[in-house]
């Protein structure tokens, strides 16, 4: 799912377990993380209570960074660039039951009924 609003891009991806593992492996091959430092500095929405925020699990953080890295490499640098500091990647998984993002000035939290 993809949408663009003025100068922002919103994309929703769904990966199988194998696709996610492969993407993370490619990312970690290029950007090794022996000390789990990828978690440090990962953006998180502070407007939500702690139990509603994205839990910074190693697998989910690496998947978020890997997806950003993949998208950044696919965009032609002569046309546009995206920066990690100005981006937000939220991962929905078995460890993270919320999907968080902001759109048009609203902070949005999606929580499926099956996770309530």
């Amino acid at each position: 799912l993809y949408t663009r609003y003025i100068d922002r891009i919103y994309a929703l991806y769904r990966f199988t377990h194998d696709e996610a593992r492969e993407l993370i492996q490619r990312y970690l091959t290029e950007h090794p993380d022996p000390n789990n430092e990828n978690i440090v500095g990962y953006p998180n929405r502070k407007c939500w209570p702690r139990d509603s925020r994205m839990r910074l699990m190693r697998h989910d953080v690496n998947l978020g960074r890997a997806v950003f890295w993949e998208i950044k490499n696919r965009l032609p640098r002569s046309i546009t660039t995206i920066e990690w500091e100005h981006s937000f990647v939220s991962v929905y998984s078995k460890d993270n039951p919320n999907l968080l993002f902001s759109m048009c000035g609203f902070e949005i939290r999606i929580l499926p009924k099956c996770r309530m």
Side-chain angles (χ1 to χ4, degrees), residues 54-72:
M54 181 178 161
R55 297 178 185 118
L56 300 179
M57 308 300 283
R58 190 175 103 201
H59 178 269
D60 294 345
V61 168
N62 284 337
L63 180 59
R65 288 191 184 264
V67 168
F68 177 83
W69 172 74
E70 182 74 21
I71 297 304
K72 184 176 181 176

Side-chain angles (χ1 to χ4, degrees), residues 53-95:
R53 297 180 195 165
M54 181 178 161
R55 297 178 185 118
L56 300 179
M57 308 300 283
R58 190 175 103 201
H59 178 269
D60 294 345
V61 168
N62 284 337
L63 180 59
R65 288 191 184 264
V67 168
F68 177 83
W69 172 74
E70 182 74 21
I71 297 304
K72 184 176 181 176
N73 287 339
R74 287 184 182 198
L75 293 174
R77 288 179 179 83
S78 60
I79 297 174
T80 188
T81 59
I82 55 174
E83 299 299 325
W84 179 253
E85 294 79 25
H86 305 293
S87 303
F88 182 74
V89 180
S90 180
V91 176
Y92 175 82
S93 69
K94 64 179 180 173
D95 297 319

Side-chain angles (χ1 to χ4, degrees), residues 31-47:
H31 302 86
D33 184 31
N35 300 326
N36 297 325
E37 294 174 355
N38 278 344
I39 295 173
V40 177
Y42 195 89
N44 207 348
R45 295 284 184 224
K46 304 285 189 215
C47 65

Side-chain angles (χ1 to χ4, degrees), residues 14-45:
R14 182 178 180 167
F15 297 106
T16 64
H17 178 72
D18 294 333
E19 290 171 337
R21 187 172 37 87
E22 180 186 335
L23 185 59
I24 291 170
Q25 282 296 348
R26 283 188 309 182
Y27 172 73
L28 290 177
T29 302
E30 293 284 325
H31 302 86
D33 184 31
N35 300 326
N36 297 325
E37 294 174 355
N38 278 344
I39 295 173
V40 177
Y42 195 89
N44 207 348
R45 295 284 184 224

